[in-house]
Amino acid sequence: MYTAVFAVATGDVAGIGVELAAVDPNAATADAQVRISSVVEGAPSDQAGLREGDVLVDADGFSLVGLTPEEAAAKVRGPVGSKMRLVIQRAGETESQVKLITRASVKLEGVTSSMQSAAGAKIGFIRIKQFSTATADDVKKALESLSADGAKAFVIDVRGNTGGYFPGGVDVA
């Protein structure tokens, strides 16, 4: 358990490179399903053709139905180089798909940034997906870069933030 928490806190995870969410947060526990909310570009999941919205059904013969996203993520993670058999259900398709994926070390990008505009003014947009030991430095770099590109204001988006390393959040504040 400590290893999993530490890996998330540092942003380095051995797995397939997906973020998970509940299909219906209000579903009864026994009927709960987990879907892919994002796929890390270039990660094993991306290379295997997984997509946002795919519902996870089974990992290595273990049913993922009835699990929370955190519990399902624990079943998907594993040692670097190990193979897993993942069964998914894709919207609009009647047959489940089986994907054979080799786990790898995945760097989760907890901070992304872009330049937006509103009423002709440049607005720096910074999204924080989770807090890790590197989040404060990543936010600082994004602020400096966007400022250098002419941002006159900033939006810090923490919607859907999964939490993480508490001191990382404090450092950002």
Side-chain angles (χ1 to χ4, degrees), residues 116-123:
Q116 307 289 325
S117 65
K122 289 185 172 183
I123 309 294

Side-chain angles (χ1 to χ4, degrees), residues 26-163:
N26 298 318
T29 303
D31 299 326
Q33 291 182 305
V34 176
R35 67 175 172 81
I36 297 173
S37 59
S38 70
V39 176
V40 176
E41 188 176 334
S45 56
D46 186 32
Q47 294 170 359
L50 294 179
R51 299 184 198 156
E52 185 175 314
D54 288 347
V55 175
L56 303 185
V57 177
D58 179 284
D60 286 334
F62 186 89
S63 175
L64 302 176
V65 177
L67 300 183
T68 66
E70 295 79 15
E71 291 168 333
K75 298 294 182 190
V76 171
R77 285 188 204 107
V80 171
S82 63
K83 296 186 184 308
M84 73 170 301
R85 179 183 171 276
L86 186 66
V87 179
I88 61 154
Q89 181 64 53
R90 186 163 285 160
E93 296 183 11
T94 55
E95 295 291 321
S96 296
Q97 294 183 25
V98 176
K99 303 285 186 175
L100 296 175
I101 304 173
T102 302
R103 295 176 180 102
S105 181
V106 178
K107 177 70 174 166
L108 300 176
E109 294 297 327
V111 177
T112 57
S113 64
S114 62
M115 188 68 78
Q116 307 289 325
S117 65
K122 289 185 172 183
I123 309 294
F125 184 84
I126 301 171
R127 180 164 185 237
I128 304 172
K129 292 183 181 182
Q130 67 181 27
F131 293 105
S132 71
T133 56
T135 303
D137 286 338
D138 291 345
V139 169
K140 183 178 179 181
K141 288 176 190 167
L143 287 167
E144 290 169 351
S145 175
L146 292 166
S147 292
D149 289 343
K152 300 297 179 199
F154 298 93
V155 172
I156 308 292
D157 182 4
V158 293
R159 291 173 297 167
N161 185 301
T162 58

